[in-house]
Amino acid sequence: MSDVRHVLVLPDRDSAEAVAEELPDRFPVTEEPQLVRDALAGEDDAEDAQWLVVVEDPAGRLDSAALDTFAAEYEGWLETP
């Protein structure tokens, strides 16, 4: 199976940091999740930024539905490819 990358979209930095911290406890991740600030198109205001948690899944073992449910606990979602 080819490398898989999951992108969780969160409403703010605090949520993204909480998700990144809890993810290894709930899912068999092999690499540390990356936090990425995603400013909405045309917006400079940090209040209008979403935060992404990027999870590498080289073995393709993570359950997309479970990741989406997990992100929803923090008012986020799993971005579909």
Side-chain angles (χ1 to χ4, degrees):
M1 179 172 240
S2 62
D3 287 1
V4 177
R5 174 178 290 153
H6 302 281
V7 178
L8 305 175
V9 182
L10 286 304
D12 55 51
R13 182 178 186 149
D14 289 344
S15 297
E17 288 176 344
V19 165
E21 190 174 307
E22 192 174 339
L23 233 147
D25 295 335
R26 297 193 38 187
F27 296 92
V29 295
T30 56
E31 297 180 29
E32 180 140 349
Q34 298 176 326
L35 292 178
V36 179
R37 181 178 178 272
D38 183 33
L40 300 177
E43 296 292 342
D44 294 329
D45 188 348
E47 296 300 314
D48 291 325
Q50 293 176 325
W51 283 79
L52 309 178
V53 177
V54 180
V55 183
E56 299 295 336
D57 184 17
R61 299 183 313 161
L62 301 179
D63 180 346
S64 295
L67 285 170
D68 188 49
T69 300
F70 174 57
E73 293 173 20
Y74 294 88
E75 298 180 14
W77 65 90
L78 175 67
E79 189 68 29
T80 52

